């Protein structure tokens, strides 16, 4: 990648010194080298089979509807009970007139 940047710099100097053919050639070489570097540094395709030393992830569930559903009413009830137990008593709410 540094080589491509150097070629861009040389192409810029060639452009400034009024050598358009040389500048175009050097810019093209820089673009080609940058494209080659990007192609060589690409990651593995996700569809490739894993190597023998890597663990294989379990397959996803076949049907999304087969996942367990969350009972939101029970969750809210349990959460309120938990919050009541964990909340410290308020010194203002301990007066006789404030009790429910």
């Amino acid at each position: 990648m540094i080589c491509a940047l150097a070629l861009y710099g040389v192409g810029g100097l060639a452009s400034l010194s009024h050598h358009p053919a040389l500048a175009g050639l050097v810019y093209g070489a820089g673009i080609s080298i940058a494209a080659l570097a990007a192609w060589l540094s690409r990651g593995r395709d996700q569809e490739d089979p894993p190597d023998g030393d890597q663990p294989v992830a379990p397959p996803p569930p076949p049907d999304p509807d087969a996942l367990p559903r969350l009972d939101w009413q029970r969750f809210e009830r349990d959460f309120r009970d938990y919050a009541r137990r964990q909340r410290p008593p308020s010194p203002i709410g301990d007066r006789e007139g404030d009790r429910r």
Side-chain angles (χ1 to χ4, degrees):
M1 200 66 170
I2 293 174
C3 183
L5 292 174
L7 286 171
Y8 292 149
V10 171
L13 290 175
S15 292
L16 292 175
S17 64
H18 304 291
H19 294 94
L22 179 62
L25 182 69
V26 175
Y27 281 140
I31 291 170
S32 298
I33 289 178
L36 178 66
W39 182 71
L40 291 175
S41 67
R42 71 189 191 286
R44 285 179 44 134
D45 189 14
Q46 293 298 323
E47 295 178 4
D48 288 345
D51 294 336
D53 58 346
Q54 294 179 353
V56 177
D63 184 16
D65 292 334
L67 296 175
R69 298 287 181 200
L70 184 59
D71 183 5
W72 286 106
Q73 292 175 348
R74 181 175 177 219
F75 173 79
E76 288 178 7
R77 241 186 352 261
D78 292 344
F79 183 73
R80 280 192 214 107
D81 291 342
Y82 171 79
R84 279 190 211 115
R85 285 187 308 238
Q86 298 299 321
R87 187 178 340 168
S90 171
I92 297 174
D94 288 341
R95 295 184 299 200
E96 291 295 323
D98 289 341
R99 293 194 183 190
R100 295 181 185 174

